[in-house]
Amino acid sequence: MNRLKFGWGILPVAIFLAIWEGVSRLNLIPGHFFFPPLSTVMQEFYYLIANGVLTDNFLRSLVRVLIGFSAGSVAGIGMGIMMGYKKTVNKALYPIISLLYPIPALGWLPILMLWVGIGEILPIMIIFICSFFPVIYNTITGIESVDKKLIKAAKTLGASDRHILYTVILPLALPNIFTGLRLEAGMAWRVIIAAEMVAIPTGIGALLMRAESLIRVDIIIVCLMVLSAMCFLFERFFLCLELKLTQKWR
Amino acid sequence: MAEVHLKNVNKNFGKVMAVKNFNLDIKDGEFIVLVGPSGCGKTTALRLIAGLEEIAAGDIYIGDKLVNDIPPKNRDIAMVFQNYALYPHMNVYGNMSFGLKLRKFPKKEINTIVNRTANLLGIGSLLNRKPKELSGGQRQRVALGRAIVRDPKVFLFDEPLSNLDAKLRTAMRAELLDLHQRLKTTTIYVTHDQMEAMTMGDRIVVMKDGLIQQVDAPQNIYEHPVNKYVAGFIGSPSMNFLPCKLIEKDSKMYLVNKGFSLRVPSNKARISKDYVNKEVILGIRPEHLNAKKAVRDYDPETIFTASVWVVEPLGLENIVHIKNEKNSIICRLDPHIILKIGQTDEFVARMDLAHVFDKETEKTIF
């Protein structure tokens, strides 16, 4: 059954790629120079890996995403736990968080360029901001949505506040926390590409911009395919983790 | 096991007084039921005993220990909630052993206690299942097991059977009583179901608007309610209340309104002397009314006529709604008595079992 489903998922993609190759090879679109066939793109993909250009830029983007996303998520979960569990902390911080959350991560770019300059810190900070706020919100929602009766039951069973947090609240808030992580894992890639396109000279986004200036559509498509694959893989990773940890009892 | 004492306990939520001047002494090993409609303060009272709510005034003792400022975890109580409050991410074993692990019991001992209790409750084969894989009755047993393994001084039950269907509720009621007889642990049980209260409690506490109305054994509450509220709350269908006037004629007392004139038994007539010529409320239970044709011995001065309005056959009995002038009355009759809808018939009131309430204070006169 799963194989059948997998086949049905792959089939439309295969058809799409075949149409792409066919349309481009048969010059069905005017100005086909801007629409290279799949085989040319894959060839360029191989060259870019072989000469290290793609690998180098990809690793730079990957490291930025991993550091920024990990730091943003850990800080977001930590702050979310405090705000979700302690009403006083929530009251103190919620207004500030509410004011800063609507600002898009890329909106911070100009001010961060002035504050930290153009270097490795800049994209990491952008990814940090991009991950931090949504993860906070999801963590708070997860903690607040835990049935209060479960907490009361734990109290009558002899649990301390710390025990309740670790054994009841956090496990039950996991689905919400994972939703935040999953969505932001993909978003981190989208944001890093945008940031690299605008302000940072290395990484997949920068490669994308260089390809645009050289009118190399094949390289642009390679970069977009890498971006798409990374967004998909990161989201899938957290989805699988979430299912593994919570599916048995949800 | 322990006694529980509540002395002048008060609790307010803002301006709303949820529990007012609550005084109750619960004996060691007693099964006491707090009963009343939604919002009467019974669950709040239970939470105050559990320590889940802070009292505004008064004292609560569990055993000889004043527990006002003691957190729930140190009160040596175990509470069973209406929605079971089982941890969905833990299996049955995890749920049942939760309290023991917190008390740092050795693993081997936890294993023995959990298995013994699970077998006692008939859930020994379900220890590896998650709550979502259990039926309502099984979940209820797990919640019960989680409370039992702690071997607490006091069990607190917050409407534990409300989420079960009628059949299962009856079965679980019997199981809970059986369990209480075996464990002999002091139990405080909250319900809005008067039937549950009547069948389970050694004593019942009837509550209204945060106030205790009456505390007594179930049969005493049924037979001797202190006021109209308690009389109406206990019993199903509930007591008929008929406004009337108490009059004296030829040294006899009668309760009279447009539809009937019923003689008050002489022993009760003496009690009601102060109310002669005053408006009062007659309270008579459906089971204390009968069709005249089904009764051999009766006092002719306790007969009234009424037309049959609705008949609800229940097999064991018929619930018959009758109308007499402006009085709507419910009777519980033998199903073999044939009554035709719309037909006027004669009925007999067991006035020796009837009650009369003060119209103003609603307190019982007799």
Side-chain angles (χ1 to χ4, degrees), chain A:
Chain A
M1 192 67 185
N2 278 339
R3 274 187 190 175
L4 195 68
K5 278 183 186 171
F6 184 71
W8 278 110
I10 288 288
L11 194 66
V13 179
I15 293 170
F16 168 73
L17 295 177
I19 292 172
W20 171 8
E21 181 73 17
V23 167
S24 184
R25 288 266 168 219
L26 298 169
N27 292 332
L28 293 178
I29 294 178
H32 64 274
F33 182 71
F34 294 106
F35 192 61
L38 174 65
S39 52
T40 311
V41 172
M42 293 316 290
Q43 215 171 7
E44 189 55 37
F45 181 68
Y46 173 75
Y47 287 142
L48 285 171
I49 289 178
N51 62 24
V53 172
L54 184 62
T55 318
D56 181 51
N57 283 292
F58 168 73
L59 286 176
R60 282 173 184 274
S61 297
L62 179 67
V63 169
R64 287 164 188 160
V65 167
L66 286 178
I67 295 173
F69 178 71
S70 304
S73 301
V74 169
I77 291 170
M79 186 81 88
I81 289 169
M82 283 196 288
M83 288 176 69
Y85 195 53
K86 293 284 174 196
K87 276 187 181 169
T88 43
V89 180
N90 194 318
K91 277 184 184 170
L93 296 179
Y94 197 84
I96 303 166
I97 302 285
S98 301
L99 282 173
L100 298 178
Y101 178 51
I103 302 170
L106 286 173
W108 291 93
L109 198 57
I111 199 165
L112 286 176
M113 282 168 77
L114 293 172
W115 283 351
V116 300
I118 297 173
E120 282 305 314
I121 299 293
L122 179 65
I124 289 170
M125 285 201 75
I126 294 288
I127 299 301
F128 178 92
I129 292 167
C130 158
S131 315
F132 178 70
F133 290 108
V135 170
I136 276 194
Y137 268 87
N138 278 281
T139 307
I140 294 172
T141 307
I143 287 173
E144 286 179 344
S145 63
V146 173
D147 185 351
K148 300 291 174 283
K149 283 251 167 75
L150 296 177
I151 297 168
K152 284 177 179 167
K155 281 184 181 174
T156 63
L157 289 167
S160 64
D161 283 357
R162 195 168 57 87
H163 262 112
I164 292 171
L165 179 65
Y166 290 126
T167 56
V168 179
I169 294 176
L170 281 182
L172 294 175
L174 272 185
N176 276 81
I177 295 173
F178 270 114
T179 303
L181 290 174
R182 184 159 46 88
L183 296 175
E184 290 320 305
M187 186 55 77
W189 275 96
R190 292 177 198 111
V191 169
I192 192 70
I193 299 296
E196 287 168 347
M197 284 167 71
V198 177
I200 301 145
T202 54
I204 295 289
L207 181 62
L208 201 63
M209 287 311 284
R210 282 204 300 279
E212 190 260 349
S213 62
L214 296 168
I215 322 175
R216 289 293 302 274
V217 179
D218 49 350
I219 298 178
I220 292 174
I221 295 175
V222 167
C223 292
L224 293 178
M225 285 167 77
V226 170
L227 170 64
S228 167
M230 292 318 294
C231 287
F232 179 79
L233 285 175
F234 266 58
E235 285 179 9
R236 278 277 143 173
F237 170 75
F238 282 104
L239 184 65
C240 290
L241 202 60
E242 179 187 347
L243 290 177
K244 193 171 168 55
L245 291 173
T246 65
Q247 197 179 29
K248 277 187 184 169
W249 56 267
R250 281 174 84 187

Side-chain angles (χ1 to χ4, degrees), chain A residues 149 152-153 156-157, chain B residues 43 46-47 50 52 77-81 84-85 143 146-147 150 152 154-158:
Chain A
K149 283 251 167 75
K152 284 177 179 167
T156 63
L157 289 167
Chain B
T43 297
L46 195 76
R47 285 184 184 170
L52 295 172
I77 44 122
M79 190 158 171
V80 178
F81 292 83
Y84 321 127
R146 189 173 64 180
R150 294 196 76 216
V154 183
F155 279 130
L156 305 174
F157 290 102
D158 184 9

Side-chain angles (χ1 to χ4, degrees), chain B residues 85 120 126 128 190 239 268 278 283 298 305 312 327 353:
Chain B
L120 175 81
L126 309 173
N128 289 320
V190 160
M239 186 182 272
K268 292 185 173 178
K278 284 185 180 168
Y298 53 83
T305 55
E312 296 176 64
N327 309 310
L353 299 174

Side-chain angles (χ1 to χ4, degrees), chain B residues 132-299:
Chain B
K132 74 166 186 181
E133 297 165 325
L134 304 175
S135 68
Q138 288 168 336
R139 284 181 204 184
Q140 185 56 61
R141 285 191 181 88
V142 177
L144 212 57
R146 189 173 64 180
I148 293 170
V149 293
R150 294 196 76 216
D151 190 23
K153 280 183 182 167
V154 183
F155 279 130
L156 305 174
F157 290 102
D158 184 9
E159 307 207 29
L161 307 183
S162 299
N163 285 5
L164 303 179
D165 62 58
K167 200 176 169 186
L168 199 54
R169 201 156 53 222
T170 310
M172 282 302 293
R173 215 157 60 195
E175 281 188 33
L176 277 176
L177 280 176
D178 177 51
L179 207 64
H180 178 252
Q181 276 157 17
R182 277 192 271 173
L183 300 174
K184 303 271 181 223
T185 307
T186 310
T187 303
I188 307 170
Y189 188 104
V190 160
T191 180
H192 64 268
D193 182 344
Q194 58 90 25
M195 173 91 85
E196 230 166 83
M198 290 293 285
T199 52
M200 298 182 85
D202 293 328
R203 282 190 302 155
I204 298 177
V205 180
V206 185
M207 291 183 71
K208 182 193 173 193
D209 299 334
L211 281 167
I212 292 180
Q213 301 292 308
Q214 188 169 1
V215 184
D216 213 331
Q219 197 60 33
N220 283 344
I221 287 195
Y222 177 80
E223 288 175 0
H224 308 291
V226 293
N227 58 32
K228 183 175 167 245
Y229 173 79
V230 175
F233 192 80
I234 299 294
S236 177
S238 63
M239 186 182 272
N240 296 292
F241 294 111
L242 307 164
C244 50
K245 199 172 183 179
L246 189 70
I247 62 161
E248 192 170 11
K249 201 169 128 190
D250 302 333
S251 309
K252 292 177 189 172
M253 294 277 200
Y254 293 88
L255 290 160
V256 180
N257 83 359
K258 274 189 178 174
F260 58 77
S261 172
L262 302 167
R263 193 168 75 83
V264 177
S266 50
N267 59 332
K268 292 185 173 178
R270 267 176 275 128
I271 307 168
S272 49
K273 279 247 173 203
D274 293 346
Y275 287 87
V276 173
N277 291 327
K278 284 185 180 168
E279 298 285 334
V280 291
I281 296 166
L282 165 65
I284 187 152
R285 295 194 184 279
E287 49 272 36
H288 298 150
L289 292 165
N290 210 338
K292 187 188 149 197
K293 55 188 165 192
V295 188
R296 283 186 185 169
D297 295 326
Y298 53 83
D299 176 353

